[in-house]
């Protein structure tokens, strides 16, 4: 029988950090960010890409309650993504589903429409994942990405997530079944390349 004597220190999810990159800054999301984030909830394409089955009429009161309580969460980290050049809130990046026994979390990110393709999602991912490994002491961060979302998959690969399997027909979207790739990132990988797994000389953000 295995004796589970290993007990890692509990990650400090209570202190909510501000993480500064070149293009974006990540800081605790609040209810005041809701109006900037609403386009994310109203956009049909964003709903498809994240597999959110809603009726296109998001409940703003419920959303406000959700964001009003993010600062108090002791087992997850919800950060707003702020574009440095404009100061605009352009999305959110989240570490959730913390599993203390296995020192793991899930990661998800969503930006508001109109902000894609400028390297901000890549930088935000690198910042929060790095915080997860270096400050929270996580060992394993995972995510799921649908097969019809090659842009997101590219971002995750660029930062160092590794595809480890496929959830077949994970989503039923408007009559079509869609696979999801499971991707994960391990702490030793982060400490090897710090979010830059591709060969030197690669110019991507
Ligand atoms: C996914 C998301 C966070 C990425 O952030 P972003 O700022 O748009 O992405 P970046 O500009 O940092 O990087 C995009 C990369 O994907 C590449 N890309 C774009 N479209 C692509 C496509 N159709 N196929 C393959 N790669 C693609 C870009 O070329 C770039 O890679 P490169 O730097 O090597 O050239 C953002 O687009 C988003 O929020 N989308 C809507 C919601 C969503 O999909 N969330 C993720 C759910 S799993």
């Amino acid at each position: 029988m295995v004796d589970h004597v290993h007990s890692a220190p509990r990650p400090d999810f209570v202190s909510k950090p501000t993480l500064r990159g070149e293009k974006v800054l990540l800081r605790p999301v609040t209810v005041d960010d809701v109006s900037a984030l609403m386009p994310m909830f109203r956009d049909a394409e964003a709903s498809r890409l994240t597999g959110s089955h809603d009726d296109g009429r998001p409940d703003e009161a419920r959303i406000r309650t959700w964001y009003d309580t993010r600062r108090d969460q002791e087992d997850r980290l919800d950060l707003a993504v702020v574009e440095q050049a404009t100061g605009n809130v352009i999305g959110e990046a989240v570490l959730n589903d913390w599993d203390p026994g296995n020192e793991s979390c899930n990661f998800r990110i969503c930006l508001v429409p109109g902000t894609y393709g400028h390297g901000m999602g890549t930088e935000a991912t690198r910042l929060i994942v790095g915080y997860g490994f270096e400050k929270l002491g996580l060992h394993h961060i995972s995510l799921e990405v649908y097969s019809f979302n090659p842009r997101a998959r590219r971002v995750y690969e660029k930062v160092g997530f590794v595809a480890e399997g496929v959830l077949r027909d994970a989503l039923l979207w408007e009559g079509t079944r869609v696979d999801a790739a499971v991707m994960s990132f391990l702490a030793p990988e982060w400490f090897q390349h710090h979010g830059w797994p591709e060969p030197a000389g690669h110019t991507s953000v």
Side-chain angles (χ1 to χ4, degrees), residues 24-147:
V24 296
L25 172 154
L26 272 53
R27 53 117 176 110
V29 73
T30 76
V31 69
D32 296 334
D33 300 320
V34 169
S35 54
L37 294 174
M38 282 312 290
M40 203 171 72
F41 295 102
R42 293 196 182 108
D43 185 61
E45 179 63 358
S47 296
R48 185 179 79 97
L49 292 169
T50 55
S52 310
H53 289 291
D54 54 36
D55 58 5
R57 282 171 299 165
D59 179 345
E60 189 164 339
R62 193 180 56 79
I63 290 170
R64 293 186 75 82
T65 303
W66 173 264
Y67 284 103
D68 206 18
T69 53
R70 293 309 86 199
R71 257 206 121 101
D72 308 327
Q73 304 302 307
E74 298 181 357
D75 60 355
R76 54 182 288 150
L77 183 60
D78 299 79
L79 298 179
V81 181
V82 181
E83 183 179 19
Q84 301 250 46
T86 59
N88 293 337
V89 172
I90 58 142
E92 65 174 351
V94 178
L95 290 173
N96 60 3
D97 294 344
W98 176 47
D99 177 346
N102 296 309
E103 301 171 343
S104 65
C105 266
N106 177 75
F107 166 67
R108 69 177 174 76
I109 182 166
C110 193
L111 305 185
V112 298
T115 65
Y116 309 159
H118 300 288
M120 295 193 281
T122 301
E123 194 180 78
T125 300
R126 207 173 266 129
L127 286 168
I128 192 169
V129 161
Y131 182 85
F133 289 128
E134 295 187 9
K135 303 289 189 220
L136 297 175
L138 297 174
H139 175 72
H140 181 273
I141 299 177
S142 62
L143 59 82
E144 291 172 18
V145 56
Y146 296 118
S147 58

